[in-house]
């Protein structure tokens, strides 16, 4: 099959560990061809020799300025030229009679407005939201758009989701909704390491705790971590991840820098995370108490488990039931669950048996089990149209009334202040 993926997650983000690139790679290993369309060009486009073509909106003719505006949820005008360029690219890739599938992983305005181009070329359409975008929009992530989500989801043959709470929301579209969460690349976390080598700058304590991921007010509960740092000063807490540079409010995690037993490591290359993780006694997911947290299935929970480490998270009841994963809702409970986990040896065989069913290979098996029958019902025998494919292009931006302008101006002022 010929797949087209529309993803706001860059191809090289976290070394390609996220769901859209991983699904793309696994499909390509099985002989399918992938066109992966991202918002802006990745720094690295290593496709490992697989039949994957990575393109950015700028490669299709959208200016860098308008691409940036779209990422802040601002209206950017018609996309006729971008759609025509995409139409030409697809025309060079498709084979006569070949099944064609397009998947949208986020409700991003320009991506949604390119849907008619794929529809005109006879693609089977699917929606696979990789987060609770409804909750994200309410938190101020304005590059995602509720009108765009309604537009794509209502035209999809089926919808995939990564959590039960998102699946419940998607039921409103009256389509079959299939739960396929994120997965794990076990090979990356099982390669042998030098037992004598330690990662640089690691903070060791009586007990060594660790976290990796994006650090922002909406994804990281600084108060939970502060409680641990304050009540257990002999323990160390290592935080691996980039701090949100675009926060419109003071970053709450900054308060943790006053603790001598907390160390920030900035962003660590994904392939090196296991070097740090093997030194942790327990791994943390301090998620805030919000709707977005309750709609996630973070990849890091599988990665922590792949290192045979206990996991303690907050405000994520959807993770309950995973082996050696405990969920807390209050700082005191968080501490209690950590202490319990530290006293409880991890049974590697139990964890390995669980993770064997959580690989990207198994996720793609589930994905194709849904896609294949629906695609078989489509008629791809007629040649895809190559002229006038964009007559039905949505010219009006879904983001016309988006409040992202204030976010954009605030960020712009912050950037300009650096040069004063």
């Amino acid at each position: 099959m010929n797949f087209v993926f529309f993803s706001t997650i860059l191809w090289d983000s976290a070394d390609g560990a996220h769901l859209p690139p991983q699904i793309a790679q696994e499909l390509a290993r099985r002989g399918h061809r992938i066109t992966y369309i991202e918002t802006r060009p990745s720094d690295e486009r290593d496709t490992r020799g697989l039949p994957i073509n990575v393109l950015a909106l700028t490669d299709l003719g959208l200016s860098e300025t308008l691409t940036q505006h779209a990422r802040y949820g601002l209206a950017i005008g018609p996309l006729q030229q971008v759609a025509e360029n995409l139409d030409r690219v697809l025309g060079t890739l498709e084979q006569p009679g070949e099944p064609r599938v397009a998947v949208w992983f986020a409700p991003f305005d320009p991506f949604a407005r390119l849907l008619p181009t794929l529809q005109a070329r006879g693609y089977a359409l699917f929606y696979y939201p990789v987060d609770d975008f409804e909750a994200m929009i309410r938190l101020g992530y304005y590059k995602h758009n509720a009108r765009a989500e309604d537009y794509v989801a209502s035209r999809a043959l089926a919808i995939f989701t990564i959590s039960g709470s998102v699946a419940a929301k998607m039921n409103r579209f009256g389509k079959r909704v299939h739960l396929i969460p994120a997965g794990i690349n076990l090979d990356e976390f099982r390669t042998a390491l030098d037992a004598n080598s330690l990662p640089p700058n690691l903070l060791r304590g009586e007990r060594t705790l660790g976290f990796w991921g994006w650090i922002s007010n909406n994804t990281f509960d600084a108060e939970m971590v502060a409680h641990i740092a304050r009540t257990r000063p002999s323990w160390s807490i290592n935080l691996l991840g980039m701090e949100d540079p675009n926060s419109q409010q003071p970053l709450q995690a900054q308060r943790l820098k006053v603790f001598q037993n907390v160390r920030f490591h900035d962003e660590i290359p994904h392939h090196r995370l296991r070097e740090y993780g093997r030194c942790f006694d327990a791994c943390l997911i301090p998620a805030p108490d919000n709707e977005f947290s309750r709609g996630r299935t973070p990849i890091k929970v599988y990665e922590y488990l792949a290192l045979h480490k206990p996991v303690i998270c907050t405000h994520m009841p959807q993770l309950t039931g995973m082996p050696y994963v405990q969920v807390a809702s209050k700082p005191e409970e968080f501490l209690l669950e950590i202490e319990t986990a530290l006293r409880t040896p991890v049974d590697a065989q139990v964890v390995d048996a669980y993770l064997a069913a959580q690989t990207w290979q198994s996720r793609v098996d589930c994905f194709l089990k849904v896609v294949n029958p629906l695609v078989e019902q489509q008629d791809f025998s007629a040649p895809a149209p190559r002229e006038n494919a964009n007559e039905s292009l949505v010219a009006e931006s879904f983001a016309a009334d988006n409040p992202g302008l204030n976010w954009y101006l605030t960020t712009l002022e912050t950037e300009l202040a650096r040069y004063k």
Side-chain angles (χ1 to χ4, degrees):
M1 280 188 281
N2 182 23
F3 284 87
V4 178
F5 280 13
F6 292 91
S7 175
T8 53
I9 296 175
L10 300 186
W11 178 258
D12 64 353
S13 177
D15 293 345
H18 291 290
L19 186 149
Q22 288 293 325
I23 295 290
Q25 291 177 63
E26 180 58 26
L27 286 170
R29 292 187 192 98
R30 302 185 187 197
H32 303 287
R33 290 183 293 109
I34 314 293
T35 300
Y36 190 96
I37 301 177
E38 53 188 358
T39 54
R40 58 181 176 83
S42 295
D43 294 330
E44 299 289 340
R45 287 182 172 178
D46 181 9
T47 59
R48 298 167 174 81
L50 296 169
I52 301 173
N53 184 30
V54 182
L55 295 172
L57 286 172
T58 49
D59 297 321
L60 296 172
L62 191 65
S63 71
E64 291 184 7
T65 298
L66 288 180
T67 300
Q68 181 76 342
H69 285 185
R71 291 175 60 218
Y72 282 97
L74 305 182
I76 59 173
L79 294 178
Q80 189 72 28
Q81 188 61 56
V82 175
E84 291 175 357
N85 290 338
L86 175 60
D87 190 47
R88 281 193 291 271
V89 168
L90 296 179
T92 66
L93 298 174
E94 297 161 358
Q95 302 296 324
E98 178 185 40
R100 298 180 290 275
V101 175
V103 186
W104 281 259
F105 290 94
F108 183 54
D109 174 71
F111 289 167
R113 292 161 61 201
L114 291 173
L115 183 148
T117 303
L118 281 297
Q119 195 169 38
R121 298 197 68 83
Y123 278 74
L125 313 178
F126 295 88
Y127 184 44
Y128 197 157
V130 294
D131 272 310
D132 186 337
F133 290 111
E134 179 183 306
M136 291 184 73
I137 293 168
R138 285 199 287 268
L139 290 172
Y141 292 92
Y142 297 127
K143 73 177 177 182
H144 307 301
N145 187 283
R147 292 172 60 200
E149 180 163 75
D150 290 348
Y151 181 78
V152 173
S154 63
R155 287 159 177 78
L157 291 176
I159 298 172
F160 302 92
T161 67
I162 46 83
S163 72
S165 65
V166 178
K169 292 181 179 182
M170 292 295 106
N171 283 331
R172 71 183 187 274
F173 295 104
K175 305 294 179 70
R176 290 292 300 274
V177 179
H178 306 270
L179 175 59
I180 304 180
I184 175 70
N185 179 358
L186 287 175
D187 292 339
E188 181 180 357
F189 284 83
R190 293 293 166 79
T191 305
L193 290 169
D194 182 354
N196 297 318
S197 66
L198 291 176
N201 207 30
L202 180 74
L203 183 62
R204 302 300 296 264
E206 179 184 320
R207 289 294 194 173
T208 301
L209 310 179
F211 161 89
W212 59 66
W214 182 251
I215 299 177
S216 76
N217 293 345
N218 294 325
T219 62
F220 184 89
D221 191 332
E223 175 53 36
M224 288 287 191
V225 178
H227 178 75
I228 305 303
R230 184 169 49 249
T231 57
R232 294 294 182 272
S234 64
W235 293 5
S236 68
I237 303 173
N238 292 268
L239 304 177
L240 287 60
M242 180 180 293
E243 299 176 50
D244 184 3
N246 298 321
S247 179
Q248 300 178 68
Q249 300 174 343
L251 192 61
Q252 295 176 12
Q254 290 288 337
R255 60 178 296 197
L256 298 174
K257 294 185 177 181
V258 303
F259 293 102
Q260 297 297 313
N261 59 336
V262 176
R263 179 164 295 172
F264 286 77
H265 295 264
D266 296 324
E267 188 173 23
I268 303 297
H270 192 268
H271 66 274
R272 294 194 57 213
L273 291 177
R274 62 196 181 98
E275 299 176 23
Y276 290 81
R278 68 169 180 165
C279 300
F280 300 155
D281 296 309
C283 297
L284 310 179
I285 306 181
D289 185 8
N290 59 37
E291 189 179 12
F292 175 59
S293 296
R294 290 184 286 275
R296 299 174 60 208
T297 305
I299 293 173
K300 66 173 67 69
V301 69
Y302 301 116
E303 296 172 340
Y304 292 160
L305 289 174
L307 295 171
H308 299 145
K309 304 297 179 178
V311 183
I312 306 90
C313 62
T314 61
H315 304 299
M316 303 184 80
Q318 69 274 20
L319 303 187
T320 302
M322 292 184 176
Y324 299 98
V325 176
Q326 301 300 323
V327 181
S329 60
K330 297 179 180 179
E332 297 78 10
E333 294 175 0
F334 193 40
L335 175 59
L336 179 61
E337 294 294 354
I338 294 173
E339 292 180 325
T340 301
L342 292 172
R343 294 192 300 267
T344 306
V346 172
D347 187 328
Q349 290 186 339
V350 170
V351 171
D352 290 347
Y354 172 75
L355 291 178
Q358 316 304 322
T359 64
W360 291 115
Q361 292 89 340
S362 65
R363 299 302 191 236
V364 170
D365 288 342
C366 296
F367 176 75
L368 290 177
K369 187 175 181 180
V370 175
V371 169
N372 284 339
L374 293 173
V375 169
E376 289 172 0
Q377 298 173 19
Q378 308 298 306
D379 182 10
F380 300 102
S381 59
R386 302 203 176 196
E387 300 293 336
N388 302 319
N390 305 304
E391 290 179 352
S392 62
L393 178 70
V394 178
E396 180 183 357
S397 172
F398 293 111
D401 300 320
N402 202 296
L405 178 60
N406 291 333
W407 182 27
Y408 174 71
L409 293 177
T410 300
T411 305
L412 183 61
E413 290 175 358
T414 302
E415 292 295 318
L416 291 175
R418 298 180 182 179
Y419 299 95
K420 290 183 179 179

